[in-house]
Amino acid sequence: MTILSPDFAQNPLADGSPSALVTDAITELLRTHARTLIAAALEAEVASVVAGLKAEGAGVIRNGYLPERSVTTAIGDVQVKVPRIRGKDGQRVNFTSTLIPKYLRRSSSISAWAAYAYLKGVSAAEVAGVLEVVLGEGAKKLTPSVVSSLKKEWTAGFDAWGRRDLSGTHFTSIYADGVYQQIRGDNPKLCALVIVGSTRAARSTWWRSKTACASPHSPGEVLLDLKSRGMKAPALAVGDGALGFWAALREVFGTTAHQRCWFHKSGNILNYLPKSVQSKARSDLSEIWMAPSRKEAGKAITLFREKYEDKYPKAVGCLTKDAEELLASYDFPGAHWPHIRTTNAIESTFATLRHRTVGVKGAFSQETAMAMMFQLALEPEKSWRRIKGSERLAEVIQGVRFIDGEAQALAG
C-alpha cells in the first residue's frame, strides 16, 4: 500500500493527480525487499525442479532468465525475472513457475481489488483512477478491458459453481427470497430466486438461479435442479408468501416445514393500516413473534384480531391466513429462532447490489447481473457467523421433535 508522506497535504504536486504522488522511502524499501524475496523464491523453485528432473535421469541445467517484466502488487509495480532451464543437449525444457505464472501481470489480490471497486459502484472506466492512489502507476493496467475480462471470469465461475454436487452437504434450513435487478435497455427486470442454506457445520452456503417473473414454474425448476444435484430435503424453509415458492416446495421437498418471513409479513400487514396506527400495530405484532411459546403467540394473534378486525379487516386477514406458517419456528430449537424467523440473511447480503444498481443506473446485461450477485455473496459468506445453538443442528437432522423450542425424547 502506498503511504503518503506526512507533509503531502501541505506540499502537493502541481497537477494534483494521483499518479504524481511522491513515492516515499518506506514504500521503496518494501518494493526492494519484495523483489529480493520473489527472486529468492523463484531460485528455490527452479532449483527444486532441476533437482527433481536430475533424479529422474534427465540432464538439465540453468539457462539464464526470461526478460524482466513488471507485476502489479499491493505495494505497486515490482520487477521480476523468471529463471529458465534447458537440457544439456540443447533441448528446450519448459519451466513454469507457480509463483509467477506465464503471462502474469498482476497479483490475484489486485484483481480482487478491481472487482471490489467495481462492485461497490466504481465504473469500469474509473477503477484505474481510484486504485492508482494505492497502487501507483501500475493501476493504469486496470483498464476497462481488464475489468471486462474479470466480469467474464465471474460469469464462468458462476456457471461452474451452479453445477457443483450437493450430495455431501445436508442443509438444515433454507431461506428463499426474490432479488430484483434492473437491466439496461428494453430488457425486462431480472428476478433472481436466491436461496441461502444453513449447513450442519453451522456455516451458510447459498445458490440461486435466474427466474422469469411471469413464470410460476421457475421456483420448481430451481428446486428440481438442486434435488438432481443431490440436495436432501431441508427440515425448514423460510420465505416470503409472494414467491410462488411454496407450492413448488411441496412438490419437490414435501417433508420440509414452512416458515413465513416475519419481516415481509409485518410489512404486508402494516400496508393495510394508516400511518397513525402502524407504530402501535408494529408493537402488537412483535408480541406475537417474540412470544415464548406457541400458545402465547396464539393469544397475541387473537388479541391483534380483536383490536383491529372491525376497522382493518384486510390487515387481520393478512396475518391470520398464514398464522400456522408464521409459527413454524416453535417446532425448532429456541436458540435458532432469531435465525429462522426472517430472510434477513438474504436481505443484508444483497443490499450492496441495490447500492451498485443506483450507482450505475442499471447498466448491466442479465449475465453480468447474475455474475455480480455471485461475487457479492462470496465475501459475506466468508464471515457469516455460526448459528446460535449450533450443537442442536444434529438433532434437527436426526428428526428430534421440538415443542416451543425444547427437545423431546425420541420414541423408543
Side-chain angles (χ1 to χ4, degrees):
M1 180 175 182
T2 301
I3 305 171
L4 302 182
S5 58
D7 61 343
F8 173 76
Q10 289 75 32
N11 299 288
L13 295 181
D15 63 4
S17 64
S19 61
L21 300 181
V22 177
T23 303
D24 63 283
I26 295 178
T27 303
E28 275 305 310
L29 181 63
L30 290 173
R31 288 175 183 166
T32 299
H33 279 286
R35 286 192 291 268
T36 302
L37 288 172
I38 292 172
L42 287 171
E43 291 296 337
E45 186 178 23
V46 75
S48 175
V49 171
V50 169
L53 290 173
K54 287 182 176 180
E56 296 174 1
V60 293
I61 58 175
R62 285 289 309 278
N63 186 34
Y65 299 88
L66 292 171
E68 187 176 70
R69 56 181 153 131
S70 178
V71 177
T72 302
T73 71
I75 57 172
D77 282 0
V78 175
Q79 304 302 315
V80 299
K81 290 196 298 184
V82 177
R84 294 189 301 189
I85 58 178
R86 64 175 176 82
K88 289 184 177 180
D89 57 359
Q91 183 180 5
R92 184 176 179 179
V93 179
N94 289 327
F95 165 66
T96 301
S97 171
T98 57
L99 177 64
I100 308 292
K102 194 175 182 180
Y103 304 122
L104 179 73
R105 289 294 181 269
R106 60 183 179 276
S107 66
S108 58
S109 64
I110 302 305
S111 296
W113 282 28
Y116 185 76
Y118 183 73
L119 295 175
K120 285 298 182 180
V122 179
S123 70
E126 295 171 337
V127 166
V130 170
L131 295 184
E132 194 173 352
V133 175
V134 291
L135 300 179
E137 290 288 325
K140 292 181 178 179
K141 298 175 183 176
L142 298 173
T143 62
S145 63
V146 171
V147 177
S148 178
S149 67
L150 287 173
K151 290 190 286 185
K152 291 179 181 178
E153 291 176 14
W154 302 341
T155 301
F158 168 68
D159 291 340
W161 174 87
R163 295 190 296 270
R164 77 197 192 286
D165 179 33
L166 299 173
S167 59
T169 305
H170 199 131
F171 297 93
T172 57
S173 58
I174 60 174
Y175 308 77
D177 200 1
V179 175
Y180 293 85
Q181 172 63 54
Q182 185 66 49
I183 306 298
R184 67 180 168 190
D186 296 327
N187 294 309
K189 181 181 289 187
L190 169 70
C191 174
L193 175 61
V194 181
I195 302 178
V196 175
S198 298
T199 68
R200 183 173 182 175
R203 289 289 180 184
S204 296
T205 187
W206 68 281
W207 59 90
R208 68 273 173 259
S209 177
K210 292 178 286 187
T211 67
C213 298
S215 171
H217 303 294
S218 293
E221 293 170 0
V222 175
L223 292 172
L224 284 171
D225 173 66
L226 297 174
K227 186 175 183 179
S228 71
R229 290 192 277 127
M231 178 177 167
K232 305 174 184 67
L236 179 70
V238 187
D240 184 14
L243 288 174
F245 174 76
W246 302 106
L249 187 68
R250 292 187 186 94
E251 289 285 334
V252 181
F253 296 120
T255 60
T256 299
H258 300 183
Q259 168 70 47
R260 288 291 195 272
C261 171
W262 269 104
F263 175 80
H264 287 92
K265 177 57 72 173
S266 296
N268 293 338
I269 294 171
L270 294 176
N271 284 338
Y272 289 115
L273 299 170
K275 289 186 177 180
S276 60
V277 181
Q278 288 183 5
S279 179
K280 177 58 179 174
R282 185 179 289 106
S283 177
D284 291 335
L285 288 171
S286 70
E287 292 295 321
I288 303 173
W289 60 266
M290 289 293 288
S293 67
R294 185 187 292 269
K295 182 177 180 181
E296 292 299 316
K299 290 180 179 179
I301 290 176
T302 299
L303 180 60
F304 187 94
R305 183 173 60 245
E306 292 172 351
K307 291 177 68 172
Y308 298 101
E309 189 168 30
D310 288 345
K311 292 184 177 180
Y312 312 109
K314 289 185 178 180
V316 173
C318 184
L319 169 65
T320 56
K321 72 183 181 69
D322 293 321
E324 193 65 29
E325 289 81 1
L326 285 166
L327 305 182
S329 57
Y330 288 103
D331 296 331
F332 292 84
H336 296 179
W337 290 355
H339 303 285
I340 61 178
R341 289 185 179 126
T342 72
T343 57
N344 282 349
I346 297 175
E347 291 290 326
S348 58
T349 297
F350 287 90
T352 305
L353 180 65
R354 295 183 179 92
H355 295 318
R356 170 70 178 152
T357 302
V358 172
V360 298
K361 301 179 181 178
F364 303 121
S365 66
Q366 179 170 290
E367 291 72 20
T368 301
M370 293 302 298
M372 282 185 62
M373 292 181 189
F374 175 67
Q375 291 297 317
L376 282 167
L378 291 180
E379 287 306 311
E381 186 183 51
K382 296 174 184 176
S383 59
W384 276 339
R385 294 174 294 176
R386 294 178 67 85
I387 291 175
K388 294 179 181 178
S390 58
E391 67 279 1
R392 314 306 299 260
L393 289 170
E395 294 176 292
V396 174
I397 294 174
Q398 293 165 7
V400 173
R401 187 186 180 202
F402 288 82
I403 297 179
D404 294 332
E406 299 294 331
Q408 309 299 300
L410 285 172

